[in-house]
Amino acid sequence: MALSLRVRYLVNPGPINRNVTSLMAHGKTEILTPDAAGIARVADLLRAGQLVALPTETVYGLAGDATSDIACARIYEAKGRPRLNPLIVHLPSSGAVARVAVLNDTARALANAFWPGALTMVLPLRDGHGLSPSVTAGLSTVAIRVPAHPAMRAVLAAFGGPLAAPSANPSGRISPTTAAHVLAGLGGRIAAVVDGGPCGVGVESTIVAPGGSGTRLLRDGGIPREAIEALTGALVSDMTPGRVEAPGQLSSHYAPVAPLVVNSPLDDPGAIRVGFGPVEADLTLSVNGDLTEAATNLFAILHEADARAGRRGAAAIHVAPIPDTGLGRAINDRLRRAASR
Ligand code: TXA
Ligand code: MG
């Protein structure tokens, strides 16, 4: 098939974990564009069990065939992700979701309101679901999202099956919101990345588990808690760091390399200062104090602050206080995790 003429390559910088025998066939990562040729190439790679990082409206995801044991094994290996931390499955529609999982009334209402979009639901698996057991790390539930990003939707249509796609970062590192972030973390370890530009939402999806006795909130994210509660009533917060049920919620999950301080008055000139609102700083999440803009910028600013801290030696990153409401909850959650080492 036609390979996009705009394909470029990044040479393998070496394995993350030298003790792991590599399953990777590729020493190079193709950089593809989300045009017809690029999408067709992605579908071919996915059918061959390879991994492709794809833009979504939240963050870039590391996609592999969710029905393939080998593709799922490659995802865990490429990220250096603990095998007990299950993956999110991406599907094109609520109808496709209903073929692999069971939706109760609350789940259906949430699907109607927020899909396609930045909501992930943890749902009971349906018999005959066809997913690789390693997607769910052996659990009887599966985390599912119907994404809105046109490139991701085009790939889902061309591939025609469920895609497992955790965030496309090495485990424990900041999530990627650009193709350059993906390549900095995983270049050479994955077959390809589709460069769809920066992600609009900028933080990962909100994760909920709609149950018989109320809906539990497992992760704050791109859909504000308040918007979900308008439909479900009060959510039961269930985000204890390190819980087995949502092991991705480990406290240091989003750590940058440099030490990070939250709720800082930004009075240490030796630090890389990240502002919010009209304050003096080296970088700003949003000069107008806009939480949506701050969420969009969050990971790119943390990547940039980390790079600057590295260039200046042992400097820390200090971040101004962010209001703990709406998208501010997801931002503060990611900052707290990044600060926890
Ligand atoms: O926005 C997003 O959700 C992005 C994009 C790429 O879709 N994906 C993402 O995936 O953030 P990941 O793997 O980084 O986070 C998925 C989270 C993990 O914390 C995992 O533990 C949790 O979902 N999870 C997956 N399956 C679960 C399950 N059955 N029960 C509870 N938590 C689950
Ligand atoms: Mg992640």
Side-chain angles (χ1 to χ4, degrees):
M1 65 134 286
L3 186 67
S4 166
L5 291 176
R6 277 172 281 175
V7 169
R8 289 169 282 145
Y9 290 101
L10 190 96
V11 174
N12 189 347
I16 293 177
N17 179 347
R18 285 166 204 286
N19 296 324
V20 175
T21 310
S22 182
L23 291 165
M24 300 291 137
H26 287 253
K28 294 173 174 176
T29 297
E30 296 175 23
I31 303 172
L32 300 166
T33 46
D35 52 18
I39 299 296
R41 173 73 180 148
V42 173
D44 281 352
L45 287 168
L46 292 169
R47 279 187 208 108
Q50 296 295 336
L51 306 185
V52 182
L54 298 170
T56 83
E57 68 276 31
T58 57
V59 300
Y60 275 69
L62 181 58
D65 179 353
T67 68
S68 158
D69 294 341
I70 187 88
C72 293
R74 284 178 167 142
I75 292 177
Y76 285 100
E77 188 201 342
K79 282 179 63 76
R81 181 175 178 119
R83 297 255 170 174
L84 288 173
N85 189 359
L87 310 175
I88 293 183
V89 172
H90 295 68
L91 284 163
S93 65
S94 300
V97 173
R99 288 193 281 277
V100 299
V102 180
L103 292 94
N104 64 15
D105 288 347
T106 308
R108 273 193 294 273
L110 289 170
N112 286 337
F114 298 113
W115 281 347
L119 179 75
T120 294
M121 287 199 265
V122 172
L123 302 167
L125 280 166
R126 184 177 287 288
D127 284 347
H129 54 78
L131 301 173
S132 164
S134 59
V135 168
T136 61
L139 297 174
S140 59
T141 55
V142 58
I144 305 193
R145 185 160 94 79
V146 175
H149 194 288
M152 183 66 166
R153 294 190 67 77
V155 170
L156 282 167
F159 175 65
L163 289 176
S167 51
N169 52 295
S171 188
R173 293 287 162 214
I174 302 164
S175 289
T177 54
T178 65
H181 295 160
V182 173
L183 289 168
L186 297 176
R189 300 190 182 96
I190 60 176
V193 57
V194 173
D195 188 348
C199 301
V201 176
V203 290
E204 300 90 337
S205 58
T206 303
I207 305 182
V208 296
S213 54
T215 300
R216 290 177 301 130
L217 176 66
L218 303 181
R219 177 173 79 182
D220 274 310
I223 305 284
R225 188 188 299 196
E226 296 85 341
I228 296 170
E229 288 185 326
L231 262 182
T232 60
L235 292 167
V236 183
S237 196
D238 197 1
M239 299 186 286
T240 322
R243 261 185 72 95
V244 174
E245 193 179 2
Q249 305 308 303
L250 301 176
S251 48
S252 66
H253 194 61
Y254 300 90
V257 176
L260 188 137
V261 176
V262 293
N263 292 320
S264 165
L266 303 188
D267 57 359
D268 178 354
I272 306 295
R273 296 163 306 164
V274 177
F276 179 79
V279 291
E280 194 192 322
D282 302 294
L283 296 161
T284 181
L285 289 166
S286 166
V287 76
N288 300 318
D290 179 314
L291 288 170
T292 303
E293 183 185 12
T296 304
N297 290 337
L298 178 67
F299 290 130
I301 294 276
L302 288 182
H303 279 281
E304 173 60 21
D306 213 22
R308 289 195 194 185
R311 287 199 293 274
R312 278 204 215 162
I317 302 167
H318 286 201
V319 186
I322 312 290
D324 204 36
T325 168
L327 284 176
R329 294 182 200 271
I331 296 170
N332 281 321
D333 171 75
R334 304 307 186 267
L335 287 172
R336 274 193 300 274
R337 292 178 204 283
S340 151
R341 309 172 70 79

